[in-house]
Amino acid sequence: MSFPPDSARQTSVTLEQVSLRFDRGVEALHDLNLRVGDGEFLSVVGPSGCGKSTMLRLVAGLLRPTSGSVHIGGDTKLAGRQTRRDISFVFQQPTLLPWRSVEKNVRLPLELRGRVGDEGRRRVAEVIDLVGLRDFARFYPAQLSGGMQMRVSLARALVTRPSLLILDEPFAALDDITRQRLNEELLALWGRDRFTAIFVTHNVSEAVFLSQRVVVMSARPGRVLAEVPVPFSFPRNAELRAEPDFARLTGDVSRTLRESFR
Ligand SMILES: Nc1ncnc2c1ncn2[C@@H]1O[C@H](COP(=O)(O)OP(=O)(O)O)[C@@H](O)[C@H]1O
Ligand SMILES: [Mg+2]
């Protein structure tokens, strides 16, 4: 895999001086500045309640900032309708419909867009294959493990070929081994399609393993406390986690994160 240098890439998401105060007076974000490059994999860590999910909802156009601006894909409109269609969201819970098979859950976003023709059907089969569930296409969510359900959730998010994938602690409920495996699979999917990814996690090692840059947020009201570049080359595999440089960088990010709790 060889990627153009970051400077050659367009910015995909820009948050400028973004503040957000909820109705009952809670200030979730204060003067947050963040740029995410086109095709970049960015991870975000920060104390619980610091505004990470709020920031993701702003990017997805589900919330509007109290002040400041959110730009998507060079579009100066706040996550306009056209661009919002191009964003997929993966949550901590797989949020699958229990009465639909794997195949029909994955197909849902295409149905909502009226795009289930032959090409849609091929794409559904392709993403199910990509997440390793070919033999489970006819299964129902209750018949799958937590890790498999999350794979379905990922397939459903990718079926529309989004240019921006937003992930809010997607693997937090999974055991360590499953989480690590899904990390590797997610990176393989990203290497293949090169969507822009914003990945929120509590797990520093996961953040470093996955991303090209880790953003550390401050305690609420959230702002960017530090941005740590992750220099390891792609493709990355499980061995990276055992390397001294990996441990050093993870330690650096953890120290910064501990400061953010003050
Ligand atoms: N809809 C809402 N109304 C009022 N306060 C909210 C709402 N959503 C989140 N908050 C508050 O905003 C802060 C940030 O929340 P959130 O973005 O969920 O944090 P994180 O994802 O980092 O844990 C928290 O104090 C939370 O209680
Ligand atoms: Mg959250």
Side-chain angles (χ1 to χ4, degrees), residues 7 53 127 153 157 210 259:
S7 58
S53 296
V127 282
S153 181
L210 286 172
E259 282 164 25

Side-chain angles (χ1 to χ4, degrees), residues 139-181:
F139 281 52
Y140 286 82
Q143 299 173 300
L144 305 176
S145 69
M148 290 159 93
Q149 291 184 19
M150 186 46 73
R151 288 189 176 91
V152 179
S153 181
L154 273 174
R156 182 185 53 191
L158 294 174
V159 75
T160 54
R161 301 181 195 277
S163 57
L164 174 59
L165 183 65
I166 293 175
L167 307 104
D168 197 356
E169 305 193 40
F171 308 145
L174 303 175
D175 65 84
D176 247 22
I177 298 301
T178 306
R179 176 197 284 249
Q180 290 183 9
R181 219 173 263 154

Side-chain angles (χ1 to χ4, degrees), residues 22 24 26 28 47-54 57 220:
F22 285 108
R24 276 170 296 149
V26 176
S48 198
C50 77
K52 301 181 295 297
S53 296
T54 301
R57 288 165 69 203
R220 188 172 66 79

